[in-house]
Amino acid sequence: MDSYGDGGVEEDAGEAATSEDSGAGEDSGATGDGGGTGDPAGEDTGPARRDALTPEDERAPQGSSAPQDENAPPAAPPAGPPAGIAALSLPYQVVAAVALAVLGVFACVHLGMVFLHVAPSNTLTKQHGEAVDDWIYPEFEQNWKLFAPNPLQQNIAVQVRAQVSGAGGRRTTGWIDLSGQDAAQIRGSLLPSHTEQNELRRAWDFYLNSHTDDHRPNGLRGELSESYMRRIVMLRLDERELGGTVQRVQLRSVTRPIPSPSWSGEKTDTAPVFRTYPWWRITDPDRPAGAAGAEARGLAPNRTEAGR
């Protein structure tokens, strides 16, 4: 009986020791899973840990130490290759610099010539007036002055008469007021054309400025102005029924001073002043039908009465 009882006690003690060893092993395993510290806070406890994360932590990429600031300025782009002349090689840079220098010198000379052309008469224009005119005419002609004189105080009308040959022989028409025709077309028109306003006036100024006081042309520009005036006159006469073929035309100018205003004490003689010019022979290039081939045929050297 006693022997059996001792053995039962020993078996109970062995089972208790086995249970203690097993419990110790489980505790040891739990400690190792917690990071070796035995602290259960180092372990992801599931829903409680996820609730502690902020929205910034959830959006932050893995491996980043801190969330990015959305208001931070963007990074500067990398510097690109040089542009303009700096992008060229050295020889081409030299060529470009020389070309720009030449253009700058040309612009300065041109502005200086235009200034001398439109400026009042001075020492430079008196000494180098011919060189200035050679530079300006005909490509850069200017129709204005830097310091304008008194405005025009007179009206100038251009009139023409023609010698017409028809079935009844040769006869001379009366004076036809070309400037009056232009004024009648402009008057009452909301949008008058440039031709109606300026063609005859500019052509007449061109003619006067390119002729001497005895009606002789100053070189090729004078001959060109005569041809231009003849074509304008023939275009106007072609619109009229003159009863024959125009053989010759003659121009005259009528200058009428503008009367002074009523409040001015100045006295002005308003009597018209007439100036008659030589007769011009009309050839086929002067007529509207033959004007297209005038450049191919050339201009007559001098077809005025004085040139015969």
Side-chain angles (χ1 to χ4, degrees):
M1 292 293 290
D2 294 338
S3 176
Y4 176 77
D6 294 336
V9 173
E10 292 175 359
E11 290 176 359
D12 294 339
E15 291 176 359
T18 304
S19 299
E20 291 177 358
D21 296 337
S22 175
E26 291 176 0
D27 293 340
S28 176
T31 303
D33 294 340
T37 62
D39 186 6
E43 177 181 328
D44 187 0
T45 59
R49 173 61 178 168
R50 288 192 297 270
D51 293 340
L53 296 176
T54 63
E56 288 76 5
D57 295 336
E58 293 180 353
R59 290 194 300 267
Q62 295 182 357
S64 60
S65 59
Q68 296 180 351
D69 188 1
E70 295 180 354
N71 298 325
I85 298 180
L88 302 175
S89 61
L90 181 59
Y92 286 101
Q93 289 182 4
V94 173
V95 173
V98 172
L100 291 176
V102 171
L103 289 177
V105 171
F106 175 81
C108 293
V109 172
H110 179 69
L111 291 177
M113 290 295 187
V114 172
F115 175 80
L116 293 176
H117 177 69
V118 300
S121 178
N122 53 69
T123 304
L124 287 178
T125 56
K126 291 179 181 179
Q127 294 179 354
H128 308 286
E130 185 176 355
V132 173
D133 290 343
D134 292 341
W135 180 277
I136 293 297
Y137 294 109
E139 289 84 2
F140 308 117
E141 180 181 2
Q142 306 293 315
N143 192 35
W144 61 282
K145 293 297 181 182
L146 184 61
F147 301 102
N150 293 331
L152 293 177
Q153 299 181 0
Q154 57 191 11
N155 291 323
I156 301 176
V158 180
Q159 299 178 351
V160 63
R161 64 179 179 177
Q163 285 187 353
V164 181
S165 60
R170 178 174 295 187
R171 64 182 183 87
T172 302
T173 65
W175 290 104
I176 301 172
D177 190 357
L178 301 181
S179 299
Q181 292 180 3
D182 290 346
Q185 293 178 352
I186 295 173
R187 189 176 295 111
S189 176
L190 295 178
L191 297 173
S193 67
H194 177 76
T195 301
E196 294 171 348
Q197 298 180 79
N198 299 316
E199 181 185 52
L200 180 62
R201 180 181 61 84
R202 292 293 307 278
W204 187 247
D205 290 341
F206 182 28
Y207 173 79
L208 293 180
N209 293 331
S210 59
H211 280 71
T212 62
D213 294 337
D214 57 350
H215 313 299
R216 293 185 178 275
N218 291 325
L220 294 178
R221 287 179 56 81
E223 297 176 5
L224 179 62
S225 66
E226 292 182 7
S227 177
Y228 188 34
M229 279 300 305
R230 282 195 297 269
R231 293 182 185 183
I232 292 177
V233 168
M234 292 306 300
L235 282 173
R236 306 294 180 88
L237 295 180
D238 190 60
E239 300 173 353
R240 294 173 171 267
E241 183 59 40
L242 299 179
T245 303
V246 177
Q247 301 295 333
R248 297 198 305 170
V249 295
Q250 186 180 32
L251 297 176
R252 78 171 180 180
S253 62
V254 183
T255 303
R256 294 183 175 88
I258 299 176
S260 303
S262 57
W263 48 263
S264 174
E266 183 180 358
K267 301 298 182 181
T268 304
D269 185 6
T270 59
V273 177
F274 298 91
R275 184 178 181 182
T276 305
Y277 296 83
W279 285 91
W280 283 333
R281 291 182 294 112
I282 301 300
T283 58
D284 290 340
D286 301 324
R287 307 180 192 277
E295 294 183 359
R297 300 178 184 180
L299 299 175
N302 192 341
R303 289 180 285 185
T304 63
E305 292 287 345
R308 294 184 182 179

